[in-house]
Amino acid sequence: MFGKIILGLLITLGAQAAPKKIVAEVNGEKITKEELDQAYLLNKYVVSEDPVTMKRVLTDLINKKLGLEKAKKAKLQNDPDVKRKMNEVLFNAQVSKDLEDEFKKIKVTDKDVKKFYEEYPEYRTAHILLRVRVAPSQNEIEAAQKKIFEIHSEVTKEPTKFAELANKYSQAPNAHTGGDLGYQPAFFMAPEYFAAIKGQKDGYITRPVRTQLGYHVVKVLGVKKFDEINMGVYKKFVYDRKRDKIIANYFENLRKKAKIKILDEKLK
């Protein structure tokens, strides 16, 4: 009995000590069969025009080893831009690791989507845009304001000519189509833009609205009914909102545990 136990231990130890099979070497750095098999399996899940073969995957691994070797020799890990990108990868990896189980618990029902859509309905709008720079001068602001109010006055006197006036005045790329933006989900719009049309009906024309792009006059052309929306797309929107709430709570808790000093009172 004792001899069988010893024999079993020797077999186990021998199996553990067995060297890994080497399938290639790149400037002295080895590529194991296990490494190749894992890479092959991952590649099988990626849609590609070329067939996935062991030879192709091995070539990719060799290329990666050569690229990494060159990057290390050049000490790219010390490059500020590379460090920034590496920090982004580490940041996202840590958040995903910590919150993966929470994300898996997220459920989105039709009721959730309906409640969300009541708050953020989908509008079809047209607009007339006067662009201003990100940091405009006071003279530029005053000139743009004067002009947009003149346009607004002209539009409200003859609402049926909105498309014609958009073609005449708007500095947006879609001016030639009468400023028609089609139907857009609410948060594809600038917050100020959506706030100006929210709750309004077909034909409504806003007062001039300032966004990061400039000054707009907006006309509501339609409001999509709930049963007309793409349910799959909106479930994704609701999922993202729930996920973002989890992330916000996660960082709020991290901030509470950290020692944080804001040295410029104006930034609080």
Side-chain angles (χ1 to χ4, degrees):
M1 179 68 181
F2 182 73
K4 288 183 179 179
I5 294 173
I6 294 297
L7 181 60
L9 286 171
L10 288 172
I11 292 171
T12 302
L13 289 170
Q16 289 176 346
K20 292 182 178 180
K21 184 177 179 182
I22 306 301
V23 293
E25 288 190 11
V26 183
N27 293 333
E29 188 172 353
K30 297 176 174 58
I31 298 175
T32 66
K33 181 67 165 58
E34 182 183 9
E35 187 179 358
L36 176 61
D37 288 341
Q38 287 175 349
Y40 178 79
L41 185 61
L42 288 172
N43 273 266
K44 291 293 283 185
Y45 286 103
V46 179
V47 178
S48 172
E49 294 181 1
D50 301 321
V52 179
T53 65
M54 282 290 189
K55 184 177 179 181
R56 176 189 155 194
V57 175
L58 180 58
T59 300
D60 288 344
L61 283 175
I62 291 169
N63 292 343
K64 186 176 288 186
K65 297 282 186 188
L66 290 170
L68 285 171
E69 181 183 50
K70 189 172 182 181
K72 288 175 182 177
K73 284 181 179 177
K75 296 184 178 179
L76 276 184
Q77 67 271 23
N78 298 325
D79 181 275
D81 195 43
V82 173
K83 279 185 176 181
R84 179 182 57 78
K85 291 176 181 177
M86 288 173 66
N87 285 337
E88 283 294 321
V89 171
L90 289 171
F91 168 80
N92 289 316
Q94 186 63 58
V95 173
S96 296
K97 180 177 180 294
D98 289 345
L99 299 179
E100 184 178 3
D101 290 340
E102 290 295 315
F103 292 158
K104 287 178 181 177
K105 294 175 186 176
I106 296 174
K107 291 182 180 179
V108 179
T109 65
D110 289 355
K111 186 177 178 180
D112 291 331
V113 177
K114 189 168 186 179
K115 183 179 178 181
F116 174 82
Y117 194 74
E118 286 172 356
E119 188 177 354
Y120 298 103
E122 192 168 324
Y123 289 90
R124 179 184 173 192
T125 63
H127 72 144
I128 297 170
L129 169 66
L130 293 186
R131 292 187 178 276
V132 294
R133 293 178 299 167
V134 175
S137 67
Q138 187 59 35
N139 287 340
E140 186 180 354
I141 291 172
E142 290 174 1
Q145 287 177 341
K146 183 175 183 292
K147 185 63 179 178
I148 199 68
F149 275 100
E150 289 174 357
I151 293 169
H152 176 260
S153 178
E154 193 172 348
V155 166
T156 51
K157 285 177 183 176
E158 296 186 271
T160 57
K161 291 188 176 181
F162 190 96
E164 181 183 328
L165 294 171
N167 189 39
K168 180 180 178 180
Y169 293 118
S170 183
Q171 295 171 344
N174 66 339
H176 66 285
T177 64
D180 191 346
L181 292 168
Y183 280 101
Q184 291 180 303
F187 35 88
F188 283 13
M189 304 174 181
E192 304 91 345
Y193 189 105
F194 179 71
I197 63 171
K198 187 176 181 181
Q200 304 301 336
K201 295 181 180 179
D202 188 2
Y204 176 78
I205 296 175
T206 70
R207 287 176 57 79
V209 180
R210 173 76 187 270
T211 73
Q212 72 270 29
L213 295 177
Y215 291 92
H216 311 250
V217 173
V218 186
K219 183 176 182 179
V220 176
L221 301 179
V223 186
K224 190 174 284 190
K225 295 177 181 177
F226 177 72
D227 58 7
E228 296 174 335
I229 68 171
N230 184 323
M231 185 61 77
V233 169
Y234 272 86
K235 281 191 173 182
K236 177 65 169 60
F237 291 158
V238 175
Y239 172 89
D240 289 347
R241 201 178 190 203
K242 290 187 174 189
R243 179 205 59 202
D244 291 347
K245 189 174 181 180
I246 290 171
I247 294 172
N249 290 337
Y250 167 79
F251 280 109
E252 184 178 351
N253 290 329
L254 283 183
R255 289 196 301 273
K256 285 178 181 177
K257 296 173 185 176
K259 293 180 180 179
I260 299 171
K261 285 184 179 181
I262 297 175
L263 303 178
D264 188 341
E265 292 295 325
K266 295 177 183 177
L267 299 178
K268 284 189 177 181

